[in-house]
Amino acid sequence: MSTPAVLGLDVGGSSVKSLLALADSSLSSPPEILSRARTITPLADPVDGLVEIAQSVPQQHPVSRVVVSIPGIVDETRGVVVRSANIPALDGCPLAERLGARLGVPVSVINDGHAAAVAEAAWGAGAGSDDSFVLALGTGIAGAHVVDGEVVPGAHGSAGELGHITIDPAGAVCSCGRHGCLETIIGAPALSAAWNTAGGSGGPETLLPAYADGDPRAVPVVQRAASALAEALLTLCALVDPGRIVIGGGIAREPHDLVLLAAQYARQRATFHHVPPIVPATLGEWAGANGAVRIGMQHERLATAAR
Ligand code: BGC
């Protein structure tokens, strides 16, 4: 019989990225990928849509396990999506159980930030550090503390939600229901809105080059965002004291000005805090799918050892 494979599905607000890799691939470097696909996210009927995506991967190797990464708060211990601003049809869904029943193999459901962080820590910018906190700055803000290659999950598997640290209690309403979270200031939609109000057009992809060119409309927008991020980084250092901070996602894009400015503010404002090296993520937009596959391979090894 051919060697089993694990399937990682990284579900985003607009697309699902799938990677299939041999379950027994080495964990020391990114696995050789048997198949890779990108599909539109089935927003209206995500369970059926994800079943269809999982069943459409090439069948040369039997899929023995599926790991799904979700953009939202996930109770990873139970495989339940607690709240996903991007895919509200999944709110409260016992996704691991429902997909597992349909696919006939074990399914794990994890937060997208946890997935990306596992990959960055093993194969990307966190490699070489046994203690890193990985942030992904996009539509939402994802975060995860990775120690010795494993995410520190918290009691319910939902630790690391740095996007929901309050920066301004009187600020805008967040997708989580509270006010003035970091995400309401530096999430891509909020940043784009601030940039457009200041007279720019487009989102981070035009704001950051405009800032780099010294555009006076872009400077205060980036400074405010960097200031908010610096406050969150200091809170992170106070609570977690990570050995390295890795930052990826669309608003951390090259030339990394926003992140560099935030790091500079954090160092200037630190008192007792140890602000560790702050480095850009290196795996790009497939980090989450790679992390999902890696977690699948780890679970397969544990299951084999337990048999
Ligand atoms: C959610 C996180 C998620 C992040 C990126 C945030 O709004 O709370 O759980 O990881 O967005 O998708």
Side-chain angles (χ1 to χ4, degrees):
M1 194 171 106
S2 49
T3 323
V6 294
L7 176 65
L9 298 179
D10 182 25
V11 183
S14 51
S15 70
V16 178
K17 300 186 198 81
S18 343
L19 289 182
L20 187 70
L22 289 181
D24 63 0
S25 309
S26 159
L27 289 170
S28 55
S29 54
E32 194 182 318
I33 298 303
L34 301 170
S35 99
R36 173 190 299 265
R38 192 173 194 144
T39 326
I40 291 173
T41 302
L43 289 173
D45 198 350
V47 176
D48 281 353
L50 291 174
V51 168
E52 206 173 295
I53 290 171
Q55 288 175 337
S56 68
V57 299
Q59 299 292 313
Q60 303 96 310
H61 297 273
V63 174
S64 56
R65 185 172 296 273
V66 178
V67 178
V68 185
S69 113
I70 292 291
I73 299 167
V74 176
D75 181 336
E76 296 182 354
T77 53
R78 297 189 303 133
V80 173
V81 179
V82 177
R83 183 195 281 260
S84 173
N86 282 330
I87 314 171
L90 283 178
D91 285 1
C93 176
L95 189 59
E97 188 187 312
R98 292 188 57 194
L99 289 178
R102 298 274 298 278
L103 296 171
V105 294
V107 175
S108 310
V109 178
I110 55 174
N111 167 264
D112 59 349
H114 289 190
V118 163
E120 282 292 344
W123 303 321
S129 168
D130 53 12
D131 183 307
S132 49
F133 196 97
V134 184
L135 278 165
L137 312 180
T139 303
I141 309 296
H145 186 202
V146 187
V147 177
D148 292 334
E150 305 275 345
V151 167
V152 179
H156 307 91
S158 54
E161 290 283 351
L162 202 71
H164 301 294
I165 281 184
T166 306
I167 301 293
D168 175 7
V173 180
C174 181
S175 65
C176 75
R178 287 174 51 82
H179 286 257
C181 297
L182 178 65
E183 203 164 292
T184 66
I185 301 170
I186 69 162
L191 200 56
S192 305
W195 173 221
N196 287 280
T197 303
S201 63
E205 73 292 348
T206 53
L207 168 67
L208 295 172
Y211 174 82
D213 287 345
D215 182 330
R217 299 167 307 165
V219 171
V221 177
V222 169
Q223 283 174 340
R224 176 167 185 261
S227 175
L229 179 56
E231 290 305 312
L233 293 177
L234 286 176
T235 303
L236 173 65
C237 293
L239 284 179
V240 172
D241 186 18
R244 188 180 297 182
I245 297 176
V246 176
I247 306 190
I251 73 165
R253 68 182 63 223
E254 285 191 66
H256 311 302
D257 283 330
L258 198 157
V259 167
L260 291 175
L261 190 59
Q264 181 192 325
Y265 287 158
R267 290 187 203 290
Q268 286 165 351
R269 296 175 194 173
T271 55
F272 67 90
H273 314 73
H274 294 282
V275 180
I278 298 177
V279 299
T282 56
L283 294 182
E285 60 172 1
W286 285 84
N290 271 289
V293 163
R294 182 179 167 90
I295 289 168
M297 297 190 311
Q298 288 171 321
H299 288 178
E300 268 306 91
R301 282 164 167 74
L302 289 174
T304 308
R307 270 179 212 133

